[in-house]
């Protein structure tokens, strides 16, 4: 008999009259607010107008949500377009299913549009947003806890996550506790955010290096966390698709870090740099 475990929520939605309030959506929205808040502080600490972050986020956030959903649907098409699938489910984002790789890719496109409209360097903005992006992922992962999804292999560890019978794998209906991969990734992402903030204070980071460091460190954690997961996924040569994506992104990020160091790219703005004629006096805290 297992003496200790992490419980799962009894439900992930509360109905306010006819209006369903879904915890998954709340976690995603809260993560976005955290990312925008931290990015505004970092942006203002570099002498920029914090309202520029809001203008860029208006483009980046919708693009990121669409990109995240597209990646999920494209890489897991059977539930939507396979035998017995329901194509309309592809629009039900609140049920879960946002891929970080698609979110970052299309989110970057939206950020590029927003940066061009405000005359802002995309690399500077990417460096400012990187810790906030990691924190947004840390918060958003708790939506998987409410949905009882994307957990790992069975475990008897005291922090094993108890899954209700209706959400257990068909292969192990009698096994109650599994690795809480949502928690592992959430804690890892908090560590990534703290590392990026520390590195920005400790070293003279060049433009683009903070974001490249985020990509490299995040994918290290994502690789082993993904390896623990047992939900359905496409595999190649014994590894899940997201493991291969992690390897690819990590390799590209490391190459960018090395090349930017060797080429002597321009130094990224710091808290003491004034890169705008309209700094925001309300947010000068060093972040």
């Amino acid at each position: 008999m297992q003496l200790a475990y992490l419980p799962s929520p009894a439900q992930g939605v509360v109905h306010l009259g006819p209006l369903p309030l879904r915890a998954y959506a709340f976690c995603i929205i809260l993560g976005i607010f955290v990312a925008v808040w931290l990015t505004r502080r970092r942006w203002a600490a570099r002498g920029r107008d914090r309202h520029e972050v809001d203008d860029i986020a208006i483009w980046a956030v919708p693009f990121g949500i669409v990109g995240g959903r597209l990646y999920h649907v494209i890489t897991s098409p059977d539930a939507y377009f396979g035998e017995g699938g329901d194509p309309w489910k592809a629009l039900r984002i609140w049920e879960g299913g946002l891929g970080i790789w698609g979110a970052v890719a299309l989110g970057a496109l939206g950020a590029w549009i927003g940066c061009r409209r405000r005359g802002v360097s995309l690399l500077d903005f990417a460096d400012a947003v990187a810790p906030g992006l990691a924190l947004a992922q840390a918060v958003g992962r708790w939506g998987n806890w409410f949905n009882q999804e994307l957990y790992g292999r069975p475990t008897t560890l005291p922090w094993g996550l108890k899954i209700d019978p209706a959400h257990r794998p068909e292969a192990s209906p009698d096994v109650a506790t599994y690795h809480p991969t949502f928690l592992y990734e959430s804690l890892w992402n908090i560590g990534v955010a703290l590392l990026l903030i520390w590195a920005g204070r400790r070293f003279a980071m060049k433009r683009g290096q903070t974001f490249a460091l985020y990509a490299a460190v995040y994918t290290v954690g994502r690789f082993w966390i993904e390896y623990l997961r047992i939900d359905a996924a496409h595999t190649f040569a014994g590894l899940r698709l997201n493991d291969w994506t992690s390897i690819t992104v990590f390799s590209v990020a490391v190459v960018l870090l090395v090349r930017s160091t060797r080429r002597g790219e321009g130094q990224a703005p710091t808290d003491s740099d004034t890169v705008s004629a309209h700094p925001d006096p309300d947010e000068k805290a060093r972040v």
Side-chain angles (χ1 to χ4, degrees):
M1 179 178 179
Q2 190 166 350
L3 298 179
Y5 58 85
L6 296 177
S8 289
Q11 60 182 10
V13 57
V14 175
H15 286 85
L16 187 62
L19 180 65
L21 303 179
R22 301 183 184 276
Y24 181 88
F26 175 77
C27 291
I28 297 298
I29 294 171
L30 181 59
I32 292 171
F33 274 104
V34 169
V36 171
W37 167 79
L38 182 56
T39 305
R40 290 175 78 186
R41 290 181 61 86
R42 288 171 57 81
W43 200 238
R46 287 156 172 74
R48 299 300 304 235
D49 181 357
R50 63 191 175 104
H51 298 295
E52 290 178 333
V53 174
D54 301 335
D55 294 338
I56 297 171
I58 289 174
W59 289 91
V61 171
F63 272 68
I65 292 175
V66 172
R69 189 59 174 176
L70 283 175
Y71 180 89
H72 168 74
V73 172
I74 291 173
T75 57
S76 305
D78 294 342
Y80 310 103
F81 307 107
E83 184 177 353
D86 183 0
W88 288 108
K89 283 187 176 181
L91 302 177
R92 300 177 187 173
I93 296 178
W94 56 86
E95 294 182 354
L98 291 175
I100 183 59
W101 313 116
V104 171
L106 268 192
L109 175 60
W112 175 77
I113 295 173
C115 287
R116 281 186 60 88
R117 291 172 62 89
R118 289 302 302 251
V120 169
S121 165
L122 178 60
L123 285 180
D124 288 344
F125 183 78
D127 287 336
V129 81
L133 181 58
L135 285 183
Q137 292 173 249
V139 175
R141 272 302 176 197
W142 285 83
N144 301 134
W145 179 55
F146 283 99
N147 283 356
Q148 297 195 44
E149 61 184 0
L150 306 187
Y151 44 83
R153 301 170 187 171
T155 182
T156 57
L157 291 170
W159 57 84
L161 180 65
K162 186 175 182 180
I163 299 297
D164 294 339
H167 299 281
R168 294 174 190 170
E170 294 182 0
S172 55
D174 298 325
V175 178
T177 55
Y178 300 80
H179 279 285
T181 49
F182 85 92
L183 180 60
Y184 297 163
E185 186 166 343
S186 181
L187 293 175
W188 182 267
N189 284 326
I190 292 173
V192 171
L194 294 175
L195 172 66
L196 297 178
I197 293 172
W198 172 82
R201 294 176 174 178
R202 179 66 176 80
F203 304 103
M205 305 289 284
K206 294 179 171 29
R207 279 188 169 88
Q209 285 191 329
T210 299
F211 191 85
L213 181 61
Y214 151 76
V217 178
Y218 167 71
T219 51
V220 171
R222 180 60 186 266
F223 180 88
W224 70 265
I225 292 169
E226 188 75 24
Y227 193 73
L228 285 175
R229 282 169 47 174
I230 57 174
D231 51 295
H234 294 290
T235 60
F236 302 95
L239 292 178
R240 294 162 64 96
L241 173 61
N242 282 330
D243 274 328
W244 286 111
T245 305
S246 294
I247 292 172
T248 302
V249 174
F250 173 82
S251 301
V252 172
V254 170
V255 169
L256 291 177
L257 281 170
V258 173
R259 291 185 63 181
S260 62
T261 300
R262 290 180 175 176
R263 289 186 175 185
E265 302 286 350
Q267 183 174 335
T270 64
D271 298 339
S272 60
D273 292 330
T274 302
V275 291
S276 172
H278 303 286
D280 188 335
D282 297 330
E283 295 195 37
K284 286 295 185 180
R286 181 180 179 88
V287 178

